[in-house]
Amino acid sequence: MRAPITLFLLLMVGLAGCVTTAPRHSLVQSALADTHLGWQPAPKNQLSFSVATASGIARVELRPLPVDLQVLTLHLPGMRRVEGVQWRGGDGDNAQLYDGANGPEGISLQPRGHGFRLQISGEALELVRGGGVLTVIDVYRG
């Protein structure tokens, strides 16, 4: 009697996996060997990741982002003082999103305990929406 129940549960799990759509966290991947991403639940129309790095340089590759996405949040644990956030688009465009003091509208960098939280929205999100590489540089750790 136990075998039919097990088969039923396996079938239900398999069907549930077929019905779901691709998770949004697949839109971001590490572009540097020591950059580790961890997906975090976020409200609708938002992406949230935790980015840990040993070198102080976090580099993440973004695939083209959905039109309905409004906020991208990167939690940066262990970073001491972010010196810059740079963007390189797939078409070769470059942008300095944050230079240690300023950035375009839509960039928010807030200290959070032992690290920072970087939020990208509005005008800045439109810059990165097409996909490319986002680089976050912490204070030099020589």
mmCIF file of all heavy atoms in Angstrom, residues 18-52:
data_model
loop_
_atom_site.group_PDB
_atom_site.id
_atom_site.type_symbol
_atom_site.label_atom_id
_atom_site.label_comp_id
_atom_site.label_asym_id
_atom_site.label_seq_id
_atom_site.Cartn_x
_atom_site.Cartn_y
_atom_site.Cartn_z
ATOM 1 N N CYS A 18 6.397 21.120 -13.233
ATOM 2 C CA CYS A 18 6.110 21.422 -14.638
ATOM 3 C C CYS A 18 5.232 22.657 -14.789
ATOM 4 O O CYS A 18 5.271 23.328 -15.792
ATOM 5 C CB CYS A 18 5.418 20.237 -15.305
ATOM 6 S SG CYS A 18 6.478 18.797 -15.448
ATOM 7 N N VAL A 19 4.433 22.941 -13.793
ATOM 8 C CA VAL A 19 3.473 24.033 -13.889
ATOM 9 C C VAL A 19 4.127 25.378 -13.607
ATOM 10 O O VAL A 19 3.744 26.384 -14.162
ATOM 11 C CB VAL A 19 2.302 23.792 -12.903
ATOM 12 C CG1 VAL A 19 1.368 24.976 -12.871
ATOM 13 C CG2 VAL A 19 1.559 22.531 -13.306
ATOM 14 N N THR A 20 5.147 25.406 -12.775
ATOM 15 C CA THR A 20 5.746 26.683 -12.388
ATOM 16 C C THR A 20 6.563 27.270 -13.528
ATOM 17 O O THR A 20 7.053 26.560 -14.391
ATOM 18 C CB THR A 20 6.658 26.520 -11.159
ATOM 19 O OG1 THR A 20 7.685 25.594 -11.483
ATOM 20 C CG2 THR A 20 5.876 26.037 -9.961
ATOM 21 N N THR A 21 6.685 28.583 -13.524
ATOM 22 C CA THR A 21 7.493 29.259 -14.534
ATOM 23 C C THR A 21 8.916 29.408 -14.011
ATOM 24 O O THR A 21 9.181 29.200 -12.839
ATOM 25 C CB THR A 21 6.905 30.653 -14.832
ATOM 26 O OG1 THR A 21 6.867 31.395 -13.612
ATOM 27 C CG2 THR A 21 5.517 30.546 -15.421
ATOM 28 N N ALA A 22 9.828 29.812 -14.893
ATOM 29 C CA ALA A 22 11.233 29.972 -14.503
ATOM 30 C C ALA A 22 11.353 31.043 -13.432
ATOM 31 O O ALA A 22 10.744 32.106 -13.533
ATOM 32 C CB ALA A 22 12.064 30.364 -15.707
ATOM 33 N N PRO A 23 12.094 30.781 -12.353
ATOM 34 C CA PRO A 23 12.223 31.782 -11.291
ATOM 35 C C PRO A 23 13.005 33.001 -11.768
ATOM 36 O O PRO A 23 13.907 32.898 -12.595
ATOM 37 C CB PRO A 23 12.979 31.030 -10.198
ATOM 38 C CG PRO A 23 13.671 29.926 -10.886
ATOM 39 C CD PRO A 23 12.850 29.578 -12.094
ATOM 40 N N ARG A 24 12.664 34.136 -11.223
ATOM 41 C CA ARG A 24 13.323 35.381 -11.630
ATOM 42 C C ARG A 24 14.783 35.439 -11.197
ATOM 43 O O ARG A 24 15.558 36.190 -11.757
ATOM 44 C CB ARG A 24 12.564 36.572 -11.073
ATOM 45 C CG ARG A 24 11.252 36.765 -11.765
ATOM 46 C CD ARG A 24 10.647 38.061 -11.372
ATOM 47 N NE ARG A 24 9.551 38.327 -12.288
ATOM 48 C CZ ARG A 24 9.048 39.515 -12.453
ATOM 49 N NH1 ARG A 24 9.502 40.533 -11.779
ATOM 50 N NH2 ARG A 24 8.066 39.698 -13.289
ATOM 51 N N HIS A 25 15.142 34.659 -10.192
ATOM 52 C CA HIS A 25 16.532 34.719 -9.741
ATOM 53 C C HIS A 25 17.476 34.164 -10.792
ATOM 54 O O HIS A 25 18.676 34.338 -10.692
ATOM 55 C CB HIS A 25 16.727 34.049 -8.384
ATOM 56 C CG HIS A 25 16.305 32.622 -8.311
ATOM 57 N ND1 HIS A 25 17.009 31.614 -8.885
ATOM 58 C CD2 HIS A 25 15.238 32.064 -7.711
ATOM 59 C CE1 HIS A 25 16.388 30.462 -8.650
ATOM 60 N NE2 HIS A 25 15.313 30.715 -7.940
ATOM 61 N N SER A 26 16.966 33.539 -11.855
ATOM 62 C CA SER A 26 17.830 33.070 -12.936
ATOM 63 C C SER A 26 18.290 34.219 -13.825
ATOM 64 O O SER A 26 19.072 34.021 -14.745
ATOM 65 C CB SER A 26 17.105 32.016 -13.775
ATOM 66 O OG SER A 26 15.997 32.598 -14.439
ATOM 67 N N LEU A 27 17.818 35.424 -13.564
ATOM 68 C CA LEU A 27 18.207 36.579 -14.365
ATOM 69 C C LEU A 27 19.580 37.123 -13.994
ATOM 70 O O LEU A 27 20.117 37.976 -14.678
ATOM 71 C CB LEU A 27 17.170 37.703 -14.202
ATOM 72 C CG LEU A 27 15.777 37.383 -14.721
ATOM 73 C CD1 LEU A 27 14.789 38.452 -14.289
ATOM 74 C CD2 LEU A 27 15.800 37.232 -16.226
ATOM 75 N N VAL A 28 20.157 36.635 -12.897
ATOM 76 C CA VAL A 28 21.439 37.140 -12.419
ATOM 77 C C VAL A 28 22.374 35.968 -12.152
ATOM 78 O O VAL A 28 21.960 34.945 -11.621
ATOM 79 C CB VAL A 28 21.255 37.956 -11.116
ATOM 80 C CG1 VAL A 28 22.579 38.476 -10.595
ATOM 81 C CG2 VAL A 28 20.298 39.111 -11.341
ATOM 82 N N GLN A 29 23.647 36.112 -12.535
ATOM 83 C CA GLN A 29 24.632 35.088 -12.225
ATOM 84 C C GLN A 29 25.963 35.755 -11.924
ATOM 85 O O GLN A 29 26.196 36.905 -12.285
ATOM 86 C CB GLN A 29 24.779 34.093 -13.367
ATOM 87 C CG GLN A 29 25.399 34.671 -14.620
ATOM 88 C CD GLN A 29 25.497 33.634 -15.722
ATOM 89 O OE1 GLN A 29 24.750 32.673 -15.738
ATOM 90 N NE2 GLN A 29 26.399 33.836 -16.632
ATOM 91 N N SER A 30 26.834 35.033 -11.249
ATOM 92 C CA SER A 30 28.149 35.545 -10.903
ATOM 93 C C SER A 30 29.000 35.675 -12.155
ATOM 94 O O SER A 30 29.009 34.799 -13.005
ATOM 95 C CB SER A 30 28.818 34.599 -9.906
ATOM 96 O OG SER A 30 30.147 35.004 -9.685
ATOM 97 N N ALA A 31 29.726 36.766 -12.271
ATOM 98 C CA ALA A 31 30.628 36.962 -13.407
ATOM 99 C C ALA A 31 32.080 36.999 -12.951
ATOM 100 O O ALA A 31 32.976 37.260 -13.736
ATOM 101 C CB ALA A 31 30.270 38.258 -14.141
ATOM 102 N N LEU A 32 32.338 36.744 -11.670
ATOM 103 C CA LEU A 32 33.691 36.728 -11.116
ATOM 104 C C LEU A 32 33.783 35.524 -10.203
ATOM 105 O O LEU A 32 32.842 35.230 -9.463
ATOM 106 C CB LEU A 32 33.932 38.024 -10.327
ATOM 107 C CG LEU A 32 35.350 38.350 -9.893
ATOM 108 C CD1 LEU A 32 36.250 38.591 -11.103
ATOM 109 C CD2 LEU A 32 35.356 39.587 -9.014
ATOM 110 N N ALA A 33 34.897 34.820 -10.256
ATOM 111 C CA ALA A 33 35.029 33.543 -9.548
ATOM 112 C C ALA A 33 34.723 33.641 -8.059
ATOM 113 O O ALA A 33 34.139 32.735 -7.497
ATOM 114 C CB ALA A 33 36.419 32.971 -9.764
ATOM 115 N N ASP A 34 35.092 34.714 -7.394
ATOM 116 C CA ASP A 34 34.878 34.769 -5.937
ATOM 117 C C ASP A 34 33.612 35.525 -5.539
ATOM 118 O O ASP A 34 33.421 35.873 -4.394
ATOM 119 C CB ASP A 34 36.104 35.339 -5.233
ATOM 120 C CG ASP A 34 36.179 36.858 -5.295
ATOM 121 O OD1 ASP A 34 35.542 37.450 -6.186
ATOM 122 O OD2 ASP A 34 36.859 37.441 -4.467
ATOM 123 N N THR A 35 32.737 35.796 -6.491
ATOM 124 C CA THR A 35 31.466 36.449 -6.198
ATOM 125 C C THR A 35 30.398 35.377 -6.045
ATOM 126 O O THR A 35 30.193 34.573 -6.937
ATOM 127 C CB THR A 35 31.065 37.413 -7.332
ATOM 128 O OG1 THR A 35 32.096 38.384 -7.499
ATOM 129 C CG2 THR A 35 29.764 38.115 -7.018
ATOM 130 N N HIS A 36 29.742 35.367 -4.911
ATOM 131 C CA HIS A 36 28.731 34.350 -4.634
ATOM 132 C C HIS A 36 27.372 35.021 -4.455
ATOM 133 O O HIS A 36 27.240 35.943 -3.657
ATOM 134 C CB HIS A 36 29.102 33.557 -3.385
ATOM 135 C CG HIS A 36 30.475 32.985 -3.458
ATOM 136 N ND1 HIS A 36 30.775 31.884 -4.231
ATOM 137 C CD2 HIS A 36 31.641 33.383 -2.907
ATOM 138 C CE1 HIS A 36 32.071 31.621 -4.134
ATOM 139 N NE2 HIS A 36 32.619 32.518 -3.335
ATOM 140 N N LEU A 37 26.389 34.544 -5.203
ATOM 141 C CA LEU A 37 25.049 35.110 -5.156
ATOM 142 C C LEU A 37 24.128 34.221 -4.350
ATOM 143 O O LEU A 37 24.207 33.001 -4.424
ATOM 144 C CB LEU A 37 24.465 35.223 -6.566
ATOM 145 C CG LEU A 37 25.137 36.220 -7.500
ATOM 146 C CD1 LEU A 37 24.578 36.072 -8.903
ATOM 147 C CD2 LEU A 37 24.929 37.628 -6.998
ATOM 148 N N GLY A 38 23.248 34.834 -3.617
ATOM 149 C CA GLY A 38 22.193 34.109 -2.921
ATOM 150 C C GLY A 38 20.892 34.844 -3.140
ATOM 151 O O GLY A 38 20.791 36.032 -2.870
ATOM 152 N N TRP A 39 19.898 34.158 -3.662
ATOM 153 C CA TRP A 39 18.611 34.787 -3.938
ATOM 154 C C TRP A 39 17.826 34.952 -2.660
ATOM 155 O O TRP A 39 17.851 34.097 -1.792
ATOM 156 C CB TRP A 39 17.836 33.919 -4.925
ATOM 157 C CG TRP A 39 16.517 34.475 -5.293
ATOM 158 C CD1 TRP A 39 16.273 35.540 -6.120
ATOM 159 C CD2 TRP A 39 15.239 34.020 -4.863
ATOM 160 N NE1 TRP A 39 14.929 35.766 -6.223
ATOM 161 C CE2 TRP A 39 14.265 34.847 -5.456
ATOM 162 C CE3 TRP A 39 14.818 32.997 -4.024
ATOM 163 C CZ2 TRP A 39 12.903 34.676 -5.244
ATOM 164 C CZ3 TRP A 39 13.455 32.828 -3.810
ATOM 165 C CH2 TRP A 39 12.525 33.657 -4.421
ATOM 166 N N GLN A 40 17.141 36.086 -2.520
ATOM 167 C CA GLN A 40 16.298 36.338 -1.353
ATOM 168 C C GLN A 40 14.888 36.668 -1.823
ATOM 169 O O GLN A 40 14.719 37.344 -2.843
ATOM 170 C CB GLN A 40 16.845 37.521 -0.543
ATOM 171 C CG GLN A 40 18.232 37.274 -0.007
ATOM 172 C CD GLN A 40 18.708 38.392 0.902
ATOM 173 O OE1 GLN A 40 18.041 39.392 1.084
ATOM 174 N NE2 GLN A 40 19.862 38.204 1.487
ATOM 175 N N PRO A 41 13.868 36.200 -1.121
ATOM 176 C CA PRO A 41 12.495 36.539 -1.515
ATOM 177 C C PRO A 41 12.311 38.058 -1.527
ATOM 178 O O PRO A 41 12.890 38.767 -0.710
ATOM 179 C CB PRO A 41 11.633 35.901 -0.425
ATOM 180 C CG PRO A 41 12.499 34.872 0.206
ATOM 181 C CD PRO A 41 13.915 35.353 0.073
ATOM 182 N N ALA A 42 11.524 38.528 -2.474
ATOM 183 C CA ALA A 42 11.278 39.963 -2.598
ATOM 184 C C ALA A 42 9.824 40.184 -2.994
ATOM 185 O O ALA A 42 9.179 39.278 -3.527
ATOM 186 C CB ALA A 42 12.206 40.566 -3.652
ATOM 187 N N PRO A 43 9.306 41.383 -2.739
ATOM 188 C CA PRO A 43 7.933 41.687 -3.158
ATOM 189 C C PRO A 43 7.790 41.573 -4.682
ATOM 190 O O PRO A 43 8.779 41.559 -5.413
ATOM 191 C CB PRO A 43 7.738 43.139 -2.706
ATOM 192 C CG PRO A 43 8.758 43.350 -1.643
ATOM 193 C CD PRO A 43 9.918 42.475 -2.014
ATOM 194 N N LYS A 44 6.554 41.536 -5.135
ATOM 195 C CA LYS A 44 6.255 41.455 -6.565
ATOM 196 C C LYS A 44 6.975 42.578 -7.315
ATOM 197 O O LYS A 44 7.100 43.691 -6.815
ATOM 198 C CB LYS A 44 4.748 41.566 -6.767
ATOM 199 C CG LYS A 44 4.310 41.383 -8.195
ATOM 200 C CD LYS A 44 2.807 41.459 -8.292
ATOM 201 C CE LYS A 44 2.390 41.308 -9.747
ATOM 202 N NZ LYS A 44 0.943 41.427 -9.889
ATOM 203 N N ASN A 45 7.441 42.299 -8.500
ATOM 204 C CA ASN A 45 8.138 43.249 -9.383
ATOM 205 C C ASN A 45 9.480 43.703 -8.829
ATOM 206 O O ASN A 45 9.974 44.772 -9.168
ATOM 207 C CB ASN A 45 7.266 44.461 -9.701
ATOM 208 C CG ASN A 45 6.000 44.072 -10.410
ATOM 209 O OD1 ASN A 45 5.982 43.115 -11.185
ATOM 210 N ND2 ASN A 45 4.935 44.780 -10.144
ATOM 211 N N GLN A 46 10.079 42.872 -7.942
ATOM 212 C CA GLN A 46 11.402 43.191 -7.414
ATOM 213 C C GLN A 46 12.278 41.948 -7.444
ATOM 214 O O GLN A 46 11.778 40.825 -7.396
ATOM 215 C CB GLN A 46 11.306 43.701 -5.982
ATOM 216 C CG GLN A 46 10.556 45.000 -5.851
ATOM 217 C CD GLN A 46 10.644 45.573 -4.445
ATOM 218 O OE1 GLN A 46 11.573 45.294 -3.705
ATOM 219 N NE2 GLN A 46 9.680 46.379 -4.087
ATOM 220 N N LEU A 47 13.584 42.158 -7.547
ATOM 221 C CA LEU A 47 14.577 41.094 -7.401
ATOM 222 C C LEU A 47 15.454 41.451 -6.225
ATOM 223 O O LEU A 47 15.791 42.620 -6.027
ATOM 224 C CB LEU A 47 15.464 40.979 -8.649
ATOM 225 C CG LEU A 47 14.868 40.394 -9.911
ATOM 226 C CD1 LEU A 47 15.897 40.429 -11.040
ATOM 227 C CD2 LEU A 47 14.405 38.974 -9.690
ATOM 228 N N SER A 48 15.856 40.459 -5.450
ATOM 229 C CA SER A 48 16.710 40.707 -4.300
ATOM 230 C C SER A 48 17.760 39.606 -4.198
ATOM 231 O O SER A 48 17.431 38.429 -4.217
ATOM 232 C CB SER A 48 15.871 40.759 -3.027
ATOM 233 O OG SER A 48 16.670 41.100 -1.920
ATOM 234 N N PHE A 49 19.025 40.016 -4.117
ATOM 235 C CA PHE A 49 20.136 39.077 -4.038
ATOM 236 C C PHE A 49 21.084 39.483 -2.929
ATOM 237 O O PHE A 49 21.215 40.652 -2.608
ATOM 238 C CB PHE A 49 20.937 39.060 -5.352
ATOM 239 C CG PHE A 49 20.172 38.499 -6.493
ATOM 240 C CD1 PHE A 49 19.387 39.297 -7.282
ATOM 241 C CD2 PHE A 49 20.227 37.148 -6.774
ATOM 242 C CE1 PHE A 49 18.665 38.779 -8.328
ATOM 243 C CE2 PHE A 49 19.507 36.616 -7.816
ATOM 244 C CZ PHE A 49 18.723 37.435 -8.600
ATOM 245 N N SER A 50 21.775 38.518 -2.392
ATOM 246 C CA SER A 50 22.876 38.759 -1.476
ATOM 247 C C SER A 50 24.153 38.455 -2.249
ATOM 248 O O SER A 50 24.271 37.394 -2.854
ATOM 249 C CB SER A 50 22.758 37.846 -0.258
ATOM 250 O OG SER A 50 23.830 38.075 0.613
ATOM 251 N N VAL A 51 25.073 39.391 -2.266
ATOM 252 C CA VAL A 51 26.308 39.250 -3.032
ATOM 253 C C VAL A 51 27.486 39.265 -2.072
ATOM 254 O O VAL A 51 27.747 40.273 -1.421
ATOM 255 C CB VAL A 51 26.462 40.404 -4.053
ATOM 256 C CG1 VAL A 51 27.706 40.220 -4.879
ATOM 257 C CG2 VAL A 51 25.237 40.498 -4.946
ATOM 258 N N ALA A 52 28.179 38.147 -1.970
ATOM 259 C CA ALA A 52 29.348 38.050 -1.099
ATOM 260 C C ALA A 52 30.584 37.889 -1.967
ATOM 261 O O ALA A 52 30.548 37.228 -3.002
ATOM 262 C CB ALA A 52 29.208 36.861 -0.158
#
